[in-house]
Amino acid sequence: ISAYDIASKLNGSLSEPFNNRGVIYENRGEYDRALSEYNTAVRLNPSFDFAYNNRGNIYLKTGQPDEAIGDYNRALQLNPRYPEAYNNRGLAYQMKEDHSAAIADFSKAIQLNSNFIQAYKGRGDSYQLIGQYSQALRDYNRALEINPQYSEVFVSRGNVYGLTGQYSRALADSLQAVRLLPQAGVAYMNLAQSYELTGRRKEALENYEMALSLLSPDRQQEYEKCRRRSQGDWYSYREWL
């Protein structure tokens, strides 16, 4: 950060050092400090599309999707061929459960960059959330063609397989997910459900207990299902979650 401090002191009108310093704070999880830097960057240069996108990301990460969308709109007004801004706005719409708008933005990002793996993942997630499972699988498959080690996609695709009764496929994806994401409670949850629904209760119990140790209680249904399984209740929550 010190180099950016020097640059901003030498020429206070330079917006780039403030943006770059904001990125460093953002990567550290210091969102208030990052927001302050991005605010300065756009004040010094109201045409700085990257800084608007970056500030939008802070709003998104802090649960303010409307403010995020405002900044992504501004970034796209300045640069209509900015795939990252379309993808990020798609995530903001997804947070608002406006999946039609989200899918449109993810599709635009993919149109601009046909290998934009995060946009395939995002669009697949929106398709999954509105029950369009074949479209979701198509996008997850494409994401894994681009990057066969994309861990989060194994979680998402495994979930679709579970929701559609393809439990052996769900099991295969869930095994990959826990290998790549050994601290992800949802991956163990999917693995446990896969084992349970393929008749392997012992392995299911082990993974429900692992999921219980990693899941946040905020994920109420998943957490409660794991808790009940750990207590020997195999009759409630029999559907895939």
Side-chain angles (χ1 to χ4, degrees):
I1 290 179
S2 60
Y4 298 129
D5 289 337
I6 294 169
S8 61
K9 288 175 182 176
L10 290 174
N11 187 347
S13 66
L14 288 174
S15 56
E16 288 84 356
F18 294 97
N19 178 71
N20 295 339
R21 194 161 51 196
V23 171
I24 292 172
Y25 285 133
E26 181 178 352
N27 290 337
R28 292 178 178 175
E30 299 179 46
Y31 296 143
D32 288 342
R33 299 180 79 175
L35 182 61
S36 176
E37 299 295 337
Y38 295 142
N39 285 339
T40 302
V42 298
R43 177 175 57 81
L44 293 172
N45 181 2
S47 297
F48 197 173
D49 54 344
F50 290 161
Y52 284 108
N53 178 70
N54 290 341
R55 189 172 69 177
N57 292 343
I58 294 296
Y59 287 133
L60 189 62
K61 289 175 179 178
T62 55
Q64 302 175 75
D66 290 321
E67 290 80 356
I69 288 168
D71 272 351
Y72 299 139
N73 288 344
R74 180 59 179 149
L76 289 166
Q77 288 171 357
L78 293 165
N79 181 2
R81 299 188 61 80
Y82 192 172
E84 290 79 9
Y86 280 110
N87 179 72
N88 294 335
R89 192 173 67 179
L91 293 172
Y93 282 128
Q94 196 174 75
M95 184 179 286
K96 289 168 60 69
E97 300 184 3
D98 186 349
H99 294 294
S100 294
I103 288 166
D105 272 354
F106 293 132
S107 297
K108 183 64 176 179
I110 291 166
Q111 178 185 335
L112 292 169
N113 177 1
S114 62
N115 289 319
F116 198 161
I117 189 169
Q118 291 87 354
Y120 285 107
K121 164 71 163 58
R123 190 171 69 179
D125 288 345
S126 277
Y127 279 133
Q128 179 181 167
L129 288 164
I130 60 175
Q132 296 187 22
Y133 298 131
S134 61
Q135 293 94 326
L137 287 173
R138 178 195 64 199
D139 278 343
Y140 296 145
N141 290 340
R142 177 61 182 139
L144 288 169
E145 286 175 8
I146 299 168
N147 179 3
Q149 299 298 307
Y150 193 177
S151 53
E152 290 86 355
V153 175
F154 284 110
V155 176
S156 296
R157 191 176 69 175
N159 200 55
V160 171
Y161 285 142
L163 289 167
T164 56
Q166 301 178 70
Y167 302 128
S168 294
R169 289 182 172 181
L171 177 59
D173 272 3
S174 299
L175 286 167
Q176 285 282 63
V178 299
R179 179 180 66 83
L180 295 167
L181 292 168
Q183 298 301 314
V186 67
Y188 287 98
M189 174 71 179
N190 284 357
L191 183 57
Q193 293 186 107
S194 300
Y195 278 131
E196 178 181 354
L197 291 164
T198 53
R200 299 168 66 178
R201 189 172 286 188
K202 179 177 181 294
E203 293 94 334
L205 180 59
E206 292 171 356
N207 283 281
Y208 279 125
E209 290 176 343
M210 179 63 76
L212 186 63
S213 72
L214 295 170
L215 281 171
S216 166
D218 292 340
R219 299 184 69 108
Q220 294 179 359
Q221 280 194 311
E222 293 96 330
Y223 190 86
E224 182 64 13
K225 182 173 184 176
C226 292
R227 189 185 68 80
R228 292 196 183 194
R229 292 294 185 271
S230 71
Q231 295 177 346
D233 176 0
W234 294 90
Y235 299 99
S236 59
Y237 294 100
R238 299 185 73 171
E239 72 285 357
W240 184 281
L241 294 181

